[in-house]
Amino acid sequence: MRHLSSLLVAAVMLVASAAQAQQSRFTTGPVISDYGPVAEIESAAPVPPETVFKVAFDVSEAGTAGQISRRLESPARFPNMHVRAGVPLENIHLVIVVHGPAARDLMIEPRPGETNANAGLIAALVANGVDIVLCGQTAANAGIEPDSLLPGVRLSLSAMTTFALLQQDGYTVNPF
């Protein structure tokens, strides 16, 4: 029994060590320095430096209370990853379209007395030219007033309208 227990402890330590080593490959920056960790992929096909990205992120899944939303952090990964790959930041145009339960992740106080863990991320995204749009229909349904939103977040008529307009302007929709 003691031998089995020792093997189990060793296996857990090995898995934890491998997971930590894997995470250490991921770093933030160069665009959004505190968010959006990405890994260097040496054998990846090159991204032509003249590439222009126009990407809309579809975010409807709420993050876990008190934690940074993975759905909102993915757009921070995009410029970090592509600027590292040689695409000029001015060629990267991002919009995050939020609707449904994720709307709370854009509020100053998601719940009474609760500090929004996403506030720093939202500020960093906005400071780096990412447009963050909340579906007006979602806001109306949830009773979310414009003055309860984090700075830089704007309301649209609807997420459907925003996606239709963005697609007419050449944006692709990223569901991550």
Side-chain angles (χ1 to χ4, degrees), residues 64-149:
T64 302
Q67 296 180 16
I68 293 172
S69 166
R70 288 179 44 104
R71 294 293 196 173
L72 292 175
E73 191 168 30
S74 283
R77 294 175 61 230
F78 199 91
N80 285 344
M81 185 176 355
H82 291 95
V83 168
R84 282 187 193 184
V87 177
L89 182 57
E90 58 270 11
N91 288 4
I92 301 172
H93 310 279
L94 305 179
V95 179
I96 302 172
V97 181
V98 178
H99 55 101
R104 295 257 174 237
D105 292 336
L106 301 181
M107 296 179 66
I108 296 167
E109 274 189 0
R111 290 163 196 83
E114 181 182 322
T115 302
N116 191 333
N118 297 297
L121 171 60
I122 298 298
L125 289 165
V126 170
N128 284 283
V130 178
D131 193 13
I132 302 174
V133 180
L134 175 60
C135 171
Q137 302 304 302
T138 293
N141 184 55
I144 298 172
E145 297 297 326
D147 63 352
S148 68
L149 297 173

Side-chain angles (χ1 to χ4, degrees), residues 13-27:
M13 289 176 60
L14 182 62
V15 168
S17 176
Q20 188 177 23
Q22 188 70 7
Q23 284 299 322
S24 68
R25 292 183 59 198
F26 288 80
T27 57

Side-chain angles (χ1 to χ4, degrees), residues 19-46:
Q20 188 177 23
Q22 188 70 7
Q23 284 299 322
S24 68
R25 292 183 59 198
F26 288 80
T27 57
T28 58
V31 179
I32 300 178
S33 59
D34 294 328
Y35 304 96
V38 296
E40 298 290 334
I41 309 299
E42 298 301 325
S43 60

